[in-house]
Amino acid sequence: MKIAIASGKGGTGKSTVAANLACTLSRSREVVLVDCDVEEPNLHLFFPATTVDVPVTTPVPEIDPARCTLCGECGKFCRFGALSVLKDRVLVFPELCHSCGGCSLVCPQGAVREVPRTVGRVACSRPLPALVLISGVLNEGEVQAPAVIRAAKLLAEGHPLTLYDASPGIACPVIETLEGSDACILVTESTPFGLHDLRLAAEVVERVGIPAGVVINRSDGKDEETLDFCRERGLPVIMTIPFSREIAAVQNRGGLIAALLPGWEERFVALFEAVVKIAGVSP
Amino acid sequence: MIVGITARAAGTDAPVEQRFGRAPYFVFVDTETGKAESVENPLVDAAGGVGPRAVQMFSEHGATVVITGQVGGNAAKALEVGGIKAYAYRGSGSVADALAQYTAGNLQPLPLA
Ligand code: SF4
Ligand code: SF4
């Protein structure tokens, strides 16, 4: 079973929910937690451990000057501006390339060869006896987040229970993360902004066609608007984490409430059971 | 020599556009014959990577000098490698005015590196 944890924007406590859930589940079974927030992975902060790193490469063009006639086709085709055909050479901007492969297709001379270029890495570790953490890390200044997410998810393949922590927002990295998930946990806060972002995120999961439930984080007890929205959309609210000093204190030092505060492990077990029900598959 | 100038519209009377890759028009002037060719920039609404693609258009038109307001990093690199010199025109005058200023030696080169 694959569960994605997402939110319409950053700072809702999405990673905290993912980390607590992973920690809780690892007490009773093998769990793989995949950090798909490759531009700013942070789950390793909850689970420090030594890692094994696997580089992630994507194909980028290399031009053979002996064959190239400087016809200009590749530069006209590339809509990312990764190629400039000049008077005496083709200039490649590998960091702008999205590896669509189009330039090698349009080149009439067969002068474009694809060579691998490292855009990031996947860091694997086993911070707890039954928890494997796989973190995708996109190198600074790179654009190909989906490639790193795909690699991280691929390394997690074959495990019976996988949690994907998505990047905040609703752009293509999130869709890449949601792809193939059985259910999605949407983390939100009960503020007007939180509701706006929840609405956007709910639309994305609906479009990808994944059943979802909502976790309200840092609730001040006045969640009516969020609850109304969820009822309207048929989204079950599967957990409410109240705003409390005690919880904030644990989380501010990078601690997990499931491990440190009484009662929370049980609540995260219940969260998992609720997600299983939503997904409609056996765990 | 062919000088390419970023412009808001076609023709040498058009005002100069400060943005390089997103200029609505490029006006190419042959300084020997005085002939001007205006080319509509297909990249005005493109999502990204407009700089290097605009440089390719300048290169295709045989321009060795570009007059514009500012160029981004990737475009600057392409201009440098392509041997196209860039000059800064920060006024609000026309393409013809920018060209006159350039010919008079009043324009500063844009740093490309
Ligand atoms: S592979 Fe696609 S994105 Fe990359 S340079 Fe070629 S055409 Fe551009
Ligand atoms: S399409 Fe091929 S031949 Fe034409 S400029 Fe590009 S690499 Fe050279």
Side-chain angles (χ1 to χ4, degrees):
Chain A
M1 163 146 175
K2 299 180 175 110
I3 304 169
I5 297 115
S7 68
K9 64 155 180 139
T12 57
K14 170 181 57 67
S15 295
T16 315
V17 170
N20 276 295
L21 185 59
C23 169
T24 300
L25 294 175
S26 82
R27 299 200 184 195
S28 58
R29 69 200 86 201
E30 282 280 336
V31 186
V32 181
L33 177 59
V34 187
D35 199 337
C36 296
D37 186 1
V38 299
E39 277 159 277
E40 241 171 300
N42 63 352
L43 288 175
H44 59 281
L45 300 175
F46 296 102
F47 302 111
T50 42
T51 63
V52 175
D53 289 12
V54 184
V56 177
T57 64
T58 58
V60 297
E62 191 178 80
I63 314 293
D64 178 357
R67 287 196 187 180
C68 173
T69 58
L70 301 170
C71 73
E73 287 305 317
C74 57
K76 275 188 207 128
F77 177 85
C78 180
R79 58 194 179 95
F80 302 106
L83 296 162
S84 252
V85 182
L86 304 169
K87 278 181 309 243
D88 60 345
R89 78 188 87 170
V90 178
L91 192 59
V92 183
F93 294 91
E95 67 287 355
L96 298 181
C97 172
H98 284 58
S99 299
C100 73
C103 48
S104 52
L105 288 178
V106 299
C107 175
Q109 306 298 332
V112 181
R113 201 165 65 98
E114 294 189 326
V115 293
R117 160 186 162 82
T118 303
V119 294
R121 66 192 154 90
V122 176
C124 306
S125 63
R126 187 180 275 280
L128 297 174
L131 176 67
V132 169
L133 174 62
I134 299 180
S135 300
V137 186
L138 183 70
N139 287 352
E140 191 73 35
E142 295 293 340
V143 290
Q144 299 205 42
V148 177
I149 295 171
R150 267 196 302 279
K153 287 175 75 177
L154 189 65
L155 281 173
E157 266 318 304
H159 291 273
L161 181 58
T162 311
L163 308 180
Y164 300 133
D165 187 16
S167 54
I170 52 167
C172 28
V174 177
I175 297 177
E176 188 68 54
T177 304
L178 290 173
E179 214 63 63
S181 304
D182 298 299
C184 179
I185 299 174
L186 293 170
V187 182
T188 186
E189 288 177 317
S190 52
T191 61
F193 291 122
L195 183 55
H196 170 80
D197 296 311
L198 174 63
R199 197 184 297 272
L200 295 177
E203 272 162 28
V204 173
V205 287
E206 198 170 298
R207 218 167 51 229
V208 185
I210 291 167
V214 172
V215 169
I216 303 177
N217 192 23
R218 285 194 280 268
S219 163
D220 56 5
K222 302 188 196 95
D223 306 331
E224 287 77 15
E225 272 188 71
T226 308
L227 293 173
D228 283 348
F229 168 77
C230 292
R231 206 170 304 124
E232 250 167 59
R233 297 296 283 263
L235 287 169
V237 174
I238 45 184
M239 181 183 235
T240 300
I241 304 172
F243 180 81
S244 91
R245 286 239 169 86
E246 202 185 13
I247 292 176
V250 169
Q251 296 186 339
N252 287 347
R253 22 172 236 272
L256 295 172
I257 55 174
L260 297 172
L261 294 185
W264 282 98
E265 187 178 332
E266 292 74 14
R267 276 176 238 185
F268 277 98
V269 169
L271 171 64
F272 177 64
E273 282 161 5
V275 176
V276 170
K277 220 161 103 201
I278 291 172
V281 298
S282 48
Chain B
M1 180 179 62
I2 293 177
V3 178
I5 300 137
T6 56
R8 302 235 182 104
T12 50
D13 293 334
V16 173
E17 166 65 49
Q18 295 292 312
R19 295 167 305 166
F20 173 66
R22 292 203 191 277
Y25 279 85
F26 302 132
V27 181
F28 297 99
V29 182
D30 186 329
T31 51
E32 266 108 76
T33 64
K35 267 213 190 94
E37 186 195 348
S38 301
V39 177
E40 197 175 345
N41 179 7
L43 307 173
V44 226
D45 299 319
V50 290
R53 283 191 286 172
V55 175
Q56 176 166 341
M57 291 179 66
F58 277 77
S59 184
E60 275 167 9
H61 283 83
T64 49
V65 168
V66 43
I67 303 175
T68 187
Q70 63 221 22
V71 291
N74 289 323
K77 190 173 160 205
L79 286 169
E80 194 186 13
V81 174
I84 302 172
K85 293 200 176 59
Y87 289 87
Y89 179 81
R90 310 237 190 255
S92 51
S94 65
V95 168
D97 178 47
L99 192 62
Q101 298 284 342
Y102 166 72
T103 322
N106 291 340
L107 298 186
Q108 293 298 312
L110 274 169
L112 291 186

